[in-house]
């Protein structure tokens, strides 16, 4: 029985050594923070209450980086994804565990002697290494996939922040448009009473004012909707106060060349790393399946032999691989390796497309913004100012002033759209490259 005792102790020690003691969700958050340059929480996010990064106070106006940081601390979908790391970690723990020994004992009844049979599964000793490696790589693969999910959450928060800024800017432009047209209408009525213009010109001014007010009412409905979208992207509770946002200067620096960005993406994208790990994990699983040809157990048999007492002898029990040798699971594992390799190639192609597309869209947005700031808007501002002065002197008709003021408002709206497009483009490019 000493042999059995020693074997049980050895198996217990090996089983205790299989525990996994790291925190995969926290490690994944650290990976997100390293790629984005944003602070990340050091513990699991609250399931119900919103939490804020240490450098931010609730209610303070949020810049784009601030919004992204809040999303990392509160985005419920991101933290639900991170919670799945616990499942993969449990699979890793299970992969390291050894099967329990089995004890068969027959009691002495009548002339039948006492008999005890102890089974120790030993095939796990040469299977366990590959199984643990496959599960560890599956855990690492999931962690890298979730890093990309975190970068997606950052991108969504930045885009929602840009959309709220745009909605507020469009509302402000519409408000100034109403003020301008209201002044023009008042001036037109004064000139109508003086007989300087016709009633048709006065009605045109009133109609234009009514159209501007209708546009203001329509655009005033956009900021609350954009605010709720930002709140959702940040993962804040519904009873939180309306968010205040602050605009950062719009970057106008030309992004790096496409080959440089693509090279960085291939090195930085966490989902590409996850796909590489998936290939390695599938290869390990294929090797593991090839070791599962039969179940083998070491045995200790103890039996009462008359006046000789209880005699114990070792033995072995094995499943004979006659009818099958695990061919089905081996073929399946080999096919999974092929699938993962093809998925990796498809992902590389998609990454290249995303980087190229994001860079081109950003260049287009920056070019449009430069034209508006350098040529279009200054010309409309000057023309509208001169037209207003000439109208007040009675040198031009109202319709001329109306057209110039419309052009200025349209240019200001296009400017707000272009600035938002640049902000969205930068957020998308950073996400496509996989780092800030």
């Amino acid at each position: 029985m000493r042999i059995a005792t020693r074997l049980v102790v050895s198996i217990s020690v090996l089983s205790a050594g299989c525990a996994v003691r790291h925190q995969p969700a926290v490690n994944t958050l650290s990976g997100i923070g390293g790629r984005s340059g944003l602070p990340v929480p050091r513990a699991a996010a609250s399931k119900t209450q919103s939490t804020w990064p240490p450098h931010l106070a609730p209610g303070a106006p949020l810049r784009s980086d601030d919004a992204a940081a809040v999303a990392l601390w509160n985005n419920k979908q991101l933290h639900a994804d991170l919670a799945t790391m616990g499942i993969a970690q449990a699979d890793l723990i299970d992969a390291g565990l050894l099967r329990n020994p089995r004890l068969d004992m027959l009691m002495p009844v009548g002339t039948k002697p006492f008999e005890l049979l102890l089974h120790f599964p030993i095939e796990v000793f040469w299977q366990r290494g590959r199984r643990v490696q496959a599960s560890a790589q599956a855990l690492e693969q999931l962690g890298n996939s979730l890093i990309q999910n975190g970068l997606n959450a950052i991108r969504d928060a930045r885009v929602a922040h840009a959309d709220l800024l745009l909605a507020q800017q469009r509302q402000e432009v519409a408000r100034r448009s109403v003020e301008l047209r209201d002044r023009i209408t008042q001036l037109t009525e004064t000139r109508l009473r003086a007989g300087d213009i016709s009633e048709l010109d006065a009605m045109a001014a009133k109609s234009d004012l009514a159209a501007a007010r209708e546009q203001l009412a329509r655009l005033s409905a956009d900021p609350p909707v954009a605010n709720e979208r930002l709140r959702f992207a940040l993962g804040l509770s519904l009873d939180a106060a309306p968010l205040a946002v602050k605009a950062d200067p719009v970057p106008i620096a030309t992004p790096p060349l496409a080959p440089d960005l693509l090279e960085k993406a291939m090195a930085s994208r966490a989902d590409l790393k996850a796909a590489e790990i998936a290939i390695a994990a599938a290869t390990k699983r294929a090797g593991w399946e090839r070791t599962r040809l039969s179940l083998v157990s070491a045995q200790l048999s103890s039996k009462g032999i008359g006046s000789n007492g209880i005699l114990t002898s070792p033995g072995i029990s094995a499943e004979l691989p006659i009818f099958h040798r695990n061919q089905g699971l081996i073929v399946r594992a080999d096919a999974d390796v092929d699938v993962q390799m093809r998925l990796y190639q498809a992902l590389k192609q998609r990454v290249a497309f995303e980087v190229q597309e994001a860079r081109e869209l950003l260049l287009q947005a920056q070019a449009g913004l430069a034209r508006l700031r350098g040529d279009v808007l200054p010309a409309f501002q000057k023309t509208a100012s001169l037209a207003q002065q000439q109208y007040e002197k009675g040198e031009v008709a109202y319709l001329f002033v109306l057209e110039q003021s419309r052009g200025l408002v349209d240019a200001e709206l296009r400017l707000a759209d272009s600035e938002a497009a640049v902000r969205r483009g930068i957020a998308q490019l950073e996400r496509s490259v996989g780092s800030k």
Side-chain angles (χ1 to χ4, degrees), residues 286-330:
W288 171 39
E289 293 295 349
R290 282 175 167 78
T291 67
R292 299 177 62 190
L293 298 180
S294 65
L295 300 177
V296 182
S297 298
Q299 292 183 336
L300 281 177
S301 177
S302 299
K303 182 180 294 188
I305 308 295
S307 60
N308 295 326
I310 298 177
L311 299 180
T312 301
S313 63
I316 191 168
S317 172
E319 180 184 88
L320 299 179
I322 297 175
F323 298 107
H324 78 85
R325 293 183 296 279
N326 202 32
Q327 298 98 320
L329 293 180
I330 290 174

Side-chain angles (χ1 to χ4, degrees), residues 49 126 159 202 362 387:
Q49 297 180 346
W126 58 81
V159 169
L362 177 57

Side-chain angles (χ1 to χ4, degrees), residues 34 45 73 97 137 170 200 211 213 215 265 283 285 293 312 317 324 329 334 336 342 355 389 434:
W73 285 66
L97 298 178
Q137 287 173 329
R170 289 171 67 90
L200 180 61
R213 286 174 174 168
Q215 183 185 46
T283 303
R285 283 193 295 271
L293 298 180
T312 301
S317 172
H324 78 85
L329 293 180
D334 289 341
D336 187 42
R342 294 179 186 277
V355 171
Q389 295 174 9

Side-chain angles (χ1 to χ4, degrees), residues 93 162 183 192 194 243 268 303 306 319 340 375 379 388 396 427:
I93 294 173
R183 290 197 302 269
L192 176 62
L243 296 169
S268 301
K303 182 180 294 188
E319 180 184 88
Q340 297 302 329
D375 301 326
Q388 179 71 18
V396 296

Side-chain angles (χ1 to χ4, degrees), residues 55-71:
H55 68 287
L56 293 177
L62 298 175
R63 298 184 182 274
S64 180
D65 281 348
D66 298 335
V70 174

